[in-house]
Amino acid sequence: MRVLLTGAAGFIGARITDQLTARGDEVVGVDLMLPAAHGSATAPEGVHQLDVRDAGAWGELLDGIDVVCHQAAMVGAGVTVADMPEYAGHNDLGTAVLMAAMTEHGVDRLVQASSMVVYGEGRYACATHGHQLPGTRTTDALDGGAFENPCPVCGEPLGWEPVDEDARLDPRSSYAASKVAQEHYAVAWVRQAGAAAVSLRYHNVYGPGMPRDTPYSGVAAMFRSALERGEAPTVYEDGGQMRDFVHVDDVARMNVLSIDAVREAPTQSHAAYNVCSGEPVAILDVARRVAAGTGSGIEPVVTGQYRLGDVRHIVASPARAAADLGFTAQVGPTEGLAAFATAPLRS
C-alpha cells in the first residue's frame, strides 16, 4: 500500500512511518517543518517539504496513493484572537486544499488527526439530578478553590463520566474550533467526492521523541522539563483534573488500523474515534508518576492557580475504537509515564 503522510517529520508522524514501513507499506512523507514544532526549517531525508495550503505544491505526490494520513496541524490553545487566522489557515484551509487535491488525483480514502478538544468540557452527572451540562466556572468560585463544576440544578459538585464519540462538540479555543471544522470538512468531502474518512480524536499523547518545551509538548513533557531543571513540577487547581494519557506508539497503531479500515469502508462514510488509553488519571498523579520515574525524590507542588477556559475533566470512552477496529491501548499510564521520565525527547 502507498500512504501519503502529512506531518511526517513530527512526533506522531514519525511513529506512524515506522509502523507502516515495518510491515512493508510505502510512505510518501510531507511536512512544512513549522519552527514551533520542529525547531528546524529543514525536512529530514526522504520527507518532501511543502505547505499543504499550497494547491500548486502537490504535483505528482498524490499519484498512485491508496490512503492519505493527515497529521499536519498547528496545535496549542491559541494565545490571542490574533492567532485565529493561523489556526484557520494551517488546519482548515490546509485540509480543504488537501481534500480538493486528493479528489483531483483520484484518492478517496483519508485518515486525519482530530483531538479531544472538540468536546470542550467532558461528560458530567449529578448524583441527584442525572446528566447535566455545566456552565462556565466563575472566577469567584475558582478564586475560592471551588474547582469542580457545580450542578446547575442544586449546586452540588458534578461527577465525571467517559465521553463517547456521539457527545456534542463544544470547541473553546481557536485550535479546538479548527479541529471541529476539519471534521466537518471531512463529512462534506465524503458526500461530495464519494469518499471515506476517519477522524481520530487524540487525547493527551506522550512518549519518546516528544518535542521539548514547545506548544506541541504537552503537560507531561513540561513536568519532565521542570524535573530536569531540578525544580518541582507545578500543578494547577487542586491537581484533581481527570485526563486520559495515551502513548504515541498506541496512537500510531490506531492510525495503522484506521488506514486499513478506511480502505474497506463504504463510500460517503465518516467515522470518528477516541484515541485513548482507557485508564483515566488525575493531573497530580501524572506529575507524581513522571517524578517517580526520574528517581529524583522531587514532589510536585499544587499551586491552586488556574487558567480561565481550562476544562475540569475530559476523559474518553475507548469502547467504539475497541468494537469497530479492535484497538486497545498496550501501554498504560502507570508504566508509560514512569518510562517517559527518562525517554529521549527532541530538542
Side-chain angles (χ1 to χ4, degrees), residues 47-116:
V47 173
H48 302 271
Q49 190 163 353
L50 64 84
D51 190 330
V52 296
R53 299 169 294 180
D54 182 358
W58 289 103
E60 299 177 353
L61 291 177
L62 283 162
D63 290 345
I65 294 296
D66 297 298
V67 180
V68 169
C69 185
H70 182 35
Q71 304 295 313
M74 181 177 172
V75 307
V79 178
T80 69
V81 172
D83 295 327
M84 284 185 171
E86 288 295 297
Y87 285 99
H90 284 285
N91 298 354
D92 302 333
L93 176 61
T95 299
V97 169
L98 172 61
M99 289 173 176
M102 289 172 64
T103 300
E104 181 181 349
H105 288 262
V107 184
D108 62 359
R109 293 294 183 266
L110 172 71
V111 174
Q112 69 172 356
S114 186
S115 171
M116 67 175 188

Side-chain angles (χ1 to χ4, degrees), residues 22 58 64 66 86 94 142 159 192 211 221 235 246 287-288 320 340 346:
W58 289 103
D66 297 298
E86 288 295 297
L142 294 168
Q192 291 179 284
V235 179
V246 59
R288 285 173 171 162
R320 181 179 292 180
F340 176 66
R346 70 172 63 186

Side-chain angles (χ1 to χ4, degrees), residues 119-334:
Y119 297 122
E121 280 282 6
R123 180 180 171 92
Y124 293 89
C126 173
T128 304
H129 298 103
H131 289 116
Q132 297 292 329
L133 292 175
T136 302
R137 295 184 294 172
T138 67
T139 54
D140 286 345
L142 294 168
D143 287 338
F147 299 116
E148 297 293 350
N149 286 296
C151 173
V153 180
C154 66
E156 290 299 307
L158 293 171
W160 60 268
E161 295 181 350
V163 177
D164 65 28
E165 292 85 350
D166 293 327
R168 70 176 188 143
L169 305 184
D170 182 22
R172 300 190 175 196
S173 68
S174 304
Y175 173 58
S178 74
K179 284 296 169 181
V180 171
Q182 278 188 253
E183 291 198 22
H184 287 171
Y185 273 112
V187 171
W189 175 70
V190 299
R191 290 173 177 168
Q192 291 179 284
V198 170
S199 296
L200 300 178
R201 295 172 180 168
Y202 299 160
H203 285 249
N204 297 274
V205 186
Y206 71 98
M210 197 171 192
R212 183 191 301 272
D213 299 329
T214 78
Y216 293 68
S217 298
V219 68
M222 293 177 183
F223 289 158
R224 173 182 154 149
S225 293
L227 290 160
E228 289 177 339
R229 296 191 300 268
E231 301 170 3
T234 56
V235 179
Y236 281 17
E237 301 188 16
D238 60 358
Q241 310 94 304
M242 297 300 295
R243 298 290 190 271
D244 189 295
F245 281 75
V246 59
H247 196 275
V248 65
D249 288 341
D250 283 321
V251 174
R253 188 163 54 85
M254 181 59 171
N255 273 275
V256 174
L257 289 170
S258 299
I259 287 167
D260 290 342
V262 81
R263 291 196 73 188
E264 306 302 324
T267 58
Q268 297 187 322
S269 67
H270 172 261
Y273 294 101
N274 289 326
V275 184
C276 60
S277 71
E279 298 182 36
V281 59
I283 291 295
L284 178 55
D285 288 334
V286 173
R288 285 173 171 162
R289 291 176 189 185
V290 176
T294 67
S296 64
I298 298 174
E299 285 294 318
V301 173
V302 177
T303 67
Q305 295 174 297
Y306 61 87
R307 291 173 295 201
L308 287 174
D310 276 3
V311 300
R312 178 59 178 175
H313 304 298
I314 176 68
V315 170
S317 168
R320 181 179 292 180
D324 290 2
L325 302 181
F327 172 79
T328 302
Q330 295 179 348
V331 182
T334 299

